[in-house]
Amino acid sequence: MKVVFLKESKKENRVSLVPRSFDSIPKNVEIFFQPNIGKSIGYDDESYLVSGFKPIKKSDIKTADIIVKLSPLSKSELRLVSDPKQLVISNCFLVNNAVYLKRLLNEKIASLGIELFHEDNVFPWLIKNETLKSNFVSNDLIKYLSEHNKKDKLTKTLELLERPVLKYLIVNYSYASVELIKNLLVNGHEITLLESNQFYVDVLKNNKVINELLTVHKGKLTIKSYGFDLLNDECKKCDVLVYTTTTPGGIAHTRITYDMIVSVKKNGVFVDLSAENGLCCEAINYPNDKRYPYTMVKNTVCLALNNIPSKFYPKDASDFTCDFILNLLKHFEDNTLDTIKSDYAIKNSMQTFGGNIVSKTIGESLNLKYKEI
């Protein structure tokens, strides 16, 4: 099976293939790379060649069984995917990329969303990815805001964040929120975790990790089930509001209102850790980029950073993303099309197939018709 790894777009700092991964290639897979694929994280083409990988021209995409690229394929690349048996593997950020989704449908391209893939051997990848998001909030948020403190507009917010004890409100239990809670509790901060479903609150309180945190940091961590009124009230008490989605790759339903953002303590911060899956608040710009690194809503600094692992930790993220993709390739037999139809995990991670949306998650989030395989 021939698999081509393409060079990423300028907006994606991670790479899908790293030189040291050559020995992990599945037996039935032959891998080719596009020149300059690793340039963004310091790997030259020679390091890939020495490892054993073979270079390929972009025009040779048409001969591949599987095409891998973390960012959406360009128009010219999509035109080269002409065989319905070919498969494109990329990240599932389609909620905010309807134009790309339309191109996949028009060209009747089979595409798999990395973040839709849920199988036991993928969870280490998900956890590492979400851990990097939590690290940004607990370790690098002050540094990031300091770098963008033009005309001292963020000085008061930075002074607030330097306080020894802050009140954090985290909305929704997720891998990112658990790692964030661990980091924040070690540093002495106070946390309220809100989960929309009382059933999950009960499950969490019986979770071994959470139970230990509740015991060791007694009085510092509170877990509640929220309705609109409680969420609104808790926003008024917090210094930092953090939103996550329960399932990585899942849809970020709009739950944070303009009034909630405004009610966060003066000079406080709102961070949306799930921005790439659909903005959870209409009050802030999406996506934040170099021109708009943050949005001010009254006295609250709002961040909706798309793809945090890529922006801030590209080398680490590239390593475990490459490991995940090579593990994913082990699911495929010689006939890619047969694998898509027969492998349960692959079927449930497909975005488009035969000119149809086949992902229930994407179909329901965009209110579009979908046809499961």
Side-chain angles (χ1 to χ4, degrees):
M1 185 172 64
K2 185 175 181 179
V3 181
V4 172
F5 284 73
L6 296 179
K7 184 174 63 175
E8 297 299 329
S9 68
K10 291 181 180 179
K11 290 183 179 180
E12 177 59 71
N13 298 315
R14 295 173 298 176
V15 302
S16 54
L17 187 68
V18 295
R20 59 123 181 114
S21 63
F22 185 78
D23 292 336
S24 301
I25 299 173
K27 291 180 181 179
N28 65 323
V29 174
E30 189 177 16
I31 287 182
F32 296 82
F33 72 94
Q34 186 179 357
N36 293 319
I37 189 173
K39 187 176 180 180
S40 63
I41 58 171
Y43 294 126
D44 59 18
D45 289 346
E46 185 63 25
S47 61
Y48 286 91
L49 293 169
V50 169
S51 296
F53 291 110
K54 300 174 184 178
I56 196 170
K57 296 177 182 177
K58 190 167 80 170
S59 59
D60 289 329
I61 290 175
K62 62 183 74 172
T63 66
D65 295 298
I66 295 177
I67 301 101
V68 180
K69 186 178 180 182
L70 301 181
S71 50
L73 271 65
S74 66
K75 286 183 182 179
S76 60
E77 288 167 343
L78 285 174
R79 282 195 288 269
L80 295 171
V81 185
S82 54
D83 190 332
K85 290 186 177 181
Q86 290 179 291
L87 175 69
V88 171
I89 297 178
S90 65
N91 270 295
C92 176
F93 298 151
L94 296 180
V95 175
N96 295 304
N97 207 338
V99 173
Y100 181 56
L101 175 61
K102 189 174 180 180
R103 287 177 189 156
L104 291 171
L105 293 172
N106 289 342
E107 300 296 329
K108 295 186 177 180
I109 292 172
S111 66
L112 181 151
I114 290 174
E115 293 183 54
L116 291 177
F117 187 85
H118 284 224
E119 186 80 341
D120 287 346
N121 64 356
V122 77
F123 282 113
W125 175 80
L126 290 175
I127 292 170
K128 288 176 182 177
N129 199 60
E130 297 299 292
T131 297
L132 292 183
K133 291 184 179 182
S134 69
N135 284 347
F136 170 75
V137 177
S138 57
N139 301 327
D140 294 316
L141 180 58
I142 292 176
K143 178 184 175 184
Y144 178 77
L145 293 178
S146 297
E147 290 171 351
H148 295 92
N149 188 21
K150 294 180 180 179
K151 298 181 180 179
D152 296 326
K153 287 185 177 181
L154 300 177
T155 299
K156 290 183 179 179
T157 295
L158 288 166
E159 289 173 356
L160 172 73
L161 293 176
E162 292 285 3
R163 291 178 186 174
V165 179
L166 293 172
K167 291 183 185 261
Y168 284 79
L169 174 60
I170 301 175
V171 180
N172 294 326
Y173 167 78
S174 67
Y175 294 118
S177 60
V178 170
E179 293 302 316
L180 179 56
I181 287 168
K182 288 179 187 175
N183 291 344
L184 295 176
L185 286 175
V186 167
N187 291 317
H189 298 298
E190 297 175 7
I191 302 158
T192 297
L193 172 62
L194 294 186
E195 176 54 60
S196 59
N197 191 310
Q198 182 60 46
F199 171 77
Y200 288 116
V201 171
D202 295 336
V203 170
L204 278 174
K205 288 182 177 178
N206 289 305
N207 177 283
K208 186 178 179 181
V209 174
I210 295 296
N211 197 269
E212 186 176 332
L213 291 173
L214 285 166
T215 303
V216 174
H217 302 277
K218 197 170 183 179
K220 290 282 189 177
L221 173 61
T222 305
I223 303 174
K224 299 178 181 179
S225 173
Y226 72 85
F228 182 84
D229 291 338
L230 177 60
L231 178 53
N232 198 42
D233 290 341
E234 292 294 338
C235 285
K236 297 174 184 176
K237 302 174 188 176
C238 73
D239 300 301
V240 181
L241 169 61
V242 181
Y243 182 94
T244 73
T245 52
T246 303
T247 305
I251 305 308
H253 298 288
T254 303
R255 291 197 182 104
I256 307 298
T257 67
Y258 175 87
D259 290 337
M260 290 175 187
I261 297 290
V262 171
S263 68
V264 171
K265 285 186 182 178
K266 191 175 182 180
N267 303 313
V269 180
F270 167 60
V271 184
D272 180 2
L273 287 183
S274 304
E276 62 265 20
N277 301 323
L279 205 63
C280 73
C281 180
E282 296 93 342
I284 56 180
N285 293 333
Y286 176 85
N288 290 156
D289 57 26
K290 290 180 180 178
R291 293 170 297 165
Y292 306 102
Y294 61 87
T295 301
M296 292 297 300
V297 177
K298 290 293 179 79
N299 292 308
T300 304
V301 179
C302 300
L303 293 170
L305 296 166
N306 189 9
N307 201 355
I308 287 172
S310 171
K311 276 185 170 65
F312 300 99
Y313 317 102
K315 195 153 189 175
D316 289 339
S318 295
D319 279 343
F320 62 72
T321 298
C322 176
D323 290 341
F324 160 66
I325 290 172
L326 293 181
N327 275 326
L328 176 59
L329 292 176
K330 292 176 183 177
H331 278 250
F332 290 92
E333 305 295 335
D334 292 331
N335 191 315
T336 306
L337 190 61
D338 286 348
T339 304
I340 291 171
K341 290 181 176 179
S342 62
D343 188 297
Y344 177 80
I346 297 297
K347 262 202 305 189
N348 285 277
S349 59
M350 293 298 295
Q351 301 169 136
T352 58
F353 187 82
N356 297 304
I357 297 171
V358 293
S359 165
K360 182 178 179 181
T361 300
I362 293 173
E364 290 183 344
S365 67
L366 297 179
N367 197 25
L368 296 171
K369 290 181 180 179
Y370 62 91
K371 181 181 179 181
E372 295 183 78
I373 298 175

